[in-house]
Amino acid sequence: MKQFLTILILLFGMQTFSQEISFSAGSNNTEFTLDDNDSFEANGIGSHFEITYATPIFKKLKRISYSLGMNLNEYNAMTGDLNNLYEWQTTHLGVKNGLNFRFLNIFDLFSLNGYAAINLSHILNGNQKINSQVFDISNHPEFKGLTLWSELGVSAKFNFNEDVKLSFGYSISEDYSFSSTRGQVFYDGTNDENVRIKNCRFTLSLIYLLKD
């Protein structure tokens, strides 16, 4: 019984969740949909870059940490038929606040983690292409402004040594715009359809543990 308890302690370890700084790169897989138009769907791939600082919240509860990060995201999508081609290419700068949870730790070598976050972002630049025509939408009143993204994710961390970790992550997110209506787009001859954006992301992160 004592051996069993010892194994449990090792697996779900109690090591300190030290302060960390991480550098992440990944791929966004984005889906654009339109309100009141179930037949419309556009998908695309873009890049993701982020730098994040994380620190424990409670001294006695090391499994939970708070993180603050800055990110750069491309949300792209394309759709069309034999007659028309529609494409969106946008770049957003964001600030993310999150709570991180460590679910499982194995011998200080490997851990499974989850997080929930909100990301406040602003469009830096954006273009919409309709066949051969290109429209700048970065200053369009329906695209500019702040957008709030909800995000849930999981990650697997591998410890190389006491100071460096490598993490593989996956997350899903969705936007909620409160200072814009997130895009009256020119699609199928209309300009009054509101765009909704959902995104899933794969990331690779290099994590450095900061000395206390």
Side-chain angles (χ1 to χ4, degrees):
M1 183 65 179
K2 290 183 179 180
Q3 292 179 343
F4 178 71
L5 291 176
T6 301
I7 293 174
L8 284 181
I9 292 173
L10 289 172
L11 289 177
F12 295 92
M14 295 297 293
Q15 92 269 17
T16 300
F17 200 142
S18 302
Q19 298 180 36
E20 299 176 346
I21 185 167
S22 63
F23 303 90
S24 304
S27 174
N28 288 321
N29 297 272
T30 307
E31 178 185 72
F32 282 41
T33 59
L34 297 178
D35 290 347
D36 304 320
N37 190 338
D38 295 335
S39 64
F40 174 86
E41 184 177 315
N43 299 277
I45 297 175
S47 61
H48 162 80
F49 301 98
E50 184 171 82
I51 180 171
T52 304
Y53 169 78
T55 185
I57 298 178
F58 308 107
K59 292 183 178 180
K60 294 183 179 181
L61 190 60
K62 305 299 184 180
R63 295 180 180 275
I64 303 176
S65 70
Y66 165 77
S67 62
L68 176 65
M70 178 172 289
N71 50 71
L72 188 68
N73 286 292
E74 291 180 343
Y75 300 119
N76 304 325
M78 180 185 297
T79 189
D81 51 34
L82 294 176
N83 299 316
N84 296 293
L85 177 65
Y86 304 90
E87 184 177 0
W88 294 265
Q89 297 178 337
T90 65
T91 303
H92 296 252
L93 180 67
V95 176
K96 185 164 71 177
N97 290 269
L99 286 177
N100 312 293
F101 310 90
R102 190 179 65 241
F103 299 125
L104 174 67
N105 180 65
I106 302 178
F107 302 115
D108 290 336
L109 297 175
F110 168 79
S111 65
L112 290 177
N113 308 270
Y115 73 88
I118 55 173
N119 188 40
L120 189 64
S121 71
H122 175 74
I123 188 170
L124 294 180
N125 57 70
N127 293 314
Q128 181 183 19
K129 298 180 182 179
I130 303 178
N131 297 325
S132 60
Q133 297 180 324
V134 180
F135 302 91
D136 183 357
I137 59 176
S138 58
N139 291 315
H140 192 285
E142 303 299 341
F143 272 86
K144 67 179 182 180
L146 297 176
T147 302
L148 187 69
W149 290 75
S150 62
E151 185 170 333
L152 295 173
V154 295
S155 66
K157 292 183 180 180
F158 300 87
N159 297 356
F160 283 144
N161 54 48
E162 293 181 354
D163 300 322
V164 180
K165 298 180 181 180
L166 187 66
S167 174
F168 298 92
Y170 174 79
S171 66
I172 55 175
S173 57
E174 185 174 356
D175 76 320
Y176 302 91
S177 179
F178 50 84
S179 61
S180 72
T181 58
R182 208 44 172 141
Q184 291 180 342
V185 300
F186 305 94
Y187 172 74
D188 201 21
T190 67
N191 65 350
D192 58 354
E193 309 237 29
N194 193 40
V195 176
R196 301 294 180 186
I197 304 178
K198 295 182 180 180
N199 189 70
C200 63
R201 177 183 302 133
F202 296 92
T203 57
L204 175 65
S205 303
L206 186 62
I207 303 170
Y208 294 93
L209 273 65
L210 303 178
K211 300 296 184 181
D212 295 332

